[in-house]
């Protein structure tokens, strides 16, 4: 029988609009004046020896006990306040079991407490913030906070202020297991290279709008990622570009070569962003990606799936 964790002492912060779980914990850490981030993790989730999880409890179960459910039900927090909100549209039914509140494993609190394995998702999660949001927060909420939407892969523009997002330069101490910081204009100090050109900034703005629209549609009960793929497959199949095994024909085929080249030329537009940096723009690689995208059984990482779906949509609307 698991020993019930005692409730958190003191007052519990409430959510700000669009705030992530990481942000709420980081704000509490800042207000508390604690020097070590691990002390704040213990405050929210219990001491390490208490949350051993050998009794089947997850970190989210521990959080519910410590907060007495005041932050909302587990499922709602995971779906609305963590990076799972971004991932859900990219997961097949059989893959959703891979995303769950599992054991403490990584130092990246943006992924905590989902148990997202870096090797499975090949994704970086730089903390990003908008300078205009920070200044506005000081007037409205009294304390800047991290928007979950700004942390989505592919989102490098604040759609509210039409401003670039900056990575924080605040670094944790080498001895710290967790990195808990709140937004500060002084720390958001370096313009990302891929946003310095006005033309590319507009492209990234379109990409941010696309990513946000995907999550919104999915939460409304639609499956935008599969709809885009099916539409592209119907076009390719009706054009005689697909083999009997639902793969793209070789790029020596004139129409296939033209499609592959269009994706090859599209790739450099965004691959300066860290989440797309591994997608090298060559014709062979472009053809391989398009072929795997057409075949619903082929595995694509979420960032690859996003990139291909964005290309298909931008081609369609001329973005």
């Amino acid at each position: 029988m698991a020993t019930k964790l005692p409730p958190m002492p003191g007052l519990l912060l409430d959510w700000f609009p669009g705030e992530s779980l990481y942000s709420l914990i980081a704000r509490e850490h800042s207000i508390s004046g604690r020097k070590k981030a691990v002390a704040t993790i213990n405050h929210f989730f219990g001491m390490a020896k208490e949350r051993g999880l050998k009794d089947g409890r997850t970190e989210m179960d521990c959080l519910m006990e410590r907060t007495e459910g005041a932050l909302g039900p587990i499922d709602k927090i995971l779906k609305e306040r963590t990076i799972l909100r971004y991932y859900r549209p990219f997961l097949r039914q059989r893959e959703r079991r891979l995303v769950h509140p599992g054991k403490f494993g990584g130092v990246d609190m943006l992924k905590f407490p989902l148990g997202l394995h870096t090797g499975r998702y090949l994704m970086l999660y730089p903390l990003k913030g908008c300078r205009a949001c920070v200044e506005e927060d000081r007037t409205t909420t009294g304390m800047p906070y991290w928007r979950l939407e700004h942390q989505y892969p592919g989102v490098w523009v604040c759609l509210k202020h039409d401003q670039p997002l900056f990575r924080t330069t605040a670094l944790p101490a080498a001895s710290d297991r967790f990195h808990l910081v709140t937004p500060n204009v002084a720390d958001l100090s370096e313009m990302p290279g891929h946003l310095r050109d006005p033309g590319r900034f507009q492209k990234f703005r379109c990409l941010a709008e696309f990513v946000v629209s995907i999550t919104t549609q999915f939460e409304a009960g639609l499956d935008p990622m599969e709809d885009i793929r099916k539409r592209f497959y119907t076009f390719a199949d009706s054009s005689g570009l697909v083999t009997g095994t639902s793969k793209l024909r070789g790029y020596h085929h004139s129409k296939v070569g033209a499609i592959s080249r269009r994706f090859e030329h599209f790739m450099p537009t965004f691959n300066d962003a860290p989440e797309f940096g591994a997608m090298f723009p060559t014709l062979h690689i472009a053809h391989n990606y398009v072929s795997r995208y057409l075949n619903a059984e082929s595995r694509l990482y979420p960032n690859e799936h996003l990139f291909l779906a964005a290309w298909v949509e931008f081609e369609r609307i001329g973005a």
Side-chain angles (χ1 to χ4, degrees):
M1 179 70 68
T3 302
K4 185 174 177 61
L5 298 177
M8 284 172 51
L11 297 175
L12 178 64
L13 298 179
D14 199 0
W15 298 110
F16 284 152
E19 184 174 28
S20 68
L21 175 59
Y22 168 82
S23 177
L24 184 140
I25 295 173
R27 283 198 297 118
E28 206 281 340
H29 177 68
S30 176
I31 291 171
S32 73
R34 300 184 194 96
K35 293 183 179 180
K36 291 290 186 179
V38 68
T40 296
I41 298 304
N42 293 340
H43 181 70
F44 275 88
F45 298 92
M47 300 293 289
K49 62 182 180 181
E50 296 174 317
R51 60 173 190 260
L53 309 181
K54 294 178 181 178
D55 52 29
R57 280 186 303 192
T58 68
E59 288 90 348
M60 293 303 290
D61 292 323
C62 294
L63 179 68
M64 288 300 103
E65 289 183 27
R66 291 287 283 163
T67 62
E68 299 182 297
L71 294 178
I74 292 176
D75 191 57
K76 187 176 178 67
I77 293 176
L78 289 174
K79 290 180 179 178
E80 297 181 9
R81 301 293 182 174
T82 74
I83 202 70
L84 176 59
R85 189 166 184 255
Y86 163 84
Y87 275 116
R88 291 174 67 214
F90 297 92
L91 300 177
R92 302 167 184 169
Q93 283 294 123
R94 64 178 180 270
E95 292 178 316
R96 289 176 187 170
R97 61 182 176 80
L98 296 174
V99 183
H100 59 87
K103 293 185 177 181
F104 287 93
V107 296
D108 189 341
M109 279 292 293
L110 283 173
K111 292 187 291 182
F112 169 87
L114 295 180
L116 295 177
H117 303 295
T118 302
R120 172 66 181 85
Y121 290 94
L122 290 180
M123 197 75 81
L124 300 173
Y125 298 89
L127 266 172
K128 295 175 287 184
C130 167
R131 290 175 175 174
C133 283
V134 171
E135 298 295 351
E136 186 176 277
D137 289 345
R138 295 194 186 282
T139 302
T140 57
T141 66
M143 186 175 191
Y145 66 99
W146 303 108
R147 274 74 171 164
L148 177 63
E149 184 178 290
H150 289 171
Q151 313 313 321
Y152 295 162
V155 173
W156 284 92
V157 175
C158 174
L159 297 177
K160 179 179 181 180
H161 297 107
D162 199 27
Q163 295 291 318
L165 297 179
F166 295 78
R167 285 192 271 192
T168 182
T169 57
L171 298 176
S175 61
D176 284 348
R177 182 181 178 189
F178 299 102
H179 186 198
L180 296 177
V181 295
T182 53
N184 186 314
V185 169
D187 295 329
L188 303 175
S189 59
E190 185 176 351
M191 169 76 79
H194 53 278
L195 300 178
R196 291 172 185 165
D197 175 74
R200 295 191 71 191
F201 176 86
Q202 291 305 318
K203 294 286 187 181
F204 272 95
R205 187 181 191 283
C206 290
L207 182 62
E209 291 173 336
F210 178 67
V211 175
V212 172
S213 74
I214 287 170
T215 61
T216 303
Q217 291 179 61
F218 187 85
E219 288 165 353
L222 305 175
D223 192 349
M225 299 304 292
E226 184 58 14
D227 289 345
I228 294 169
R229 192 200 66 80
K230 284 182 177 178
R231 187 166 61 243
F232 183 54
Y233 181 89
T234 299
F235 159 75
D237 188 40
S238 64
S239 300
L241 309 183
V242 180
T243 68
T245 56
S246 297
K247 294 184 178 181
L248 194 64
R249 296 189 185 280
Y251 52 75
H252 58 274
H253 187 292
S254 60
K255 289 185 178 180
V256 172
I259 289 176
S260 298
R261 279 190 293 275
R262 290 186 74 87
F263 184 54
E264 177 194 11
H265 295 155
F266 174 83
M267 294 168 81
T269 304
F270 297 105
N271 69 358
D272 281 349
E275 56 266 55
F276 304 126
M279 301 180 70
F280 303 106
T282 70
L283 182 59
H284 174 73
I285 291 175
H287 176 269
N288 179 266
Y289 272 126
V290 175
S291 183
R292 287 162 57 203
Y293 181 62
L294 283 170
N295 188 330
E297 296 304 311
S298 295
R299 172 164 290 182
L300 288 167
Y301 292 109
N303 57 330
E304 297 170 339
H305 195 170
L306 168 66
F307 203 79
L308 283 149
W311 168 63
V312 171
E313 278 299 279
F314 292 179
E315 284 277 309
R316 183 178 69 86
I317 65 177

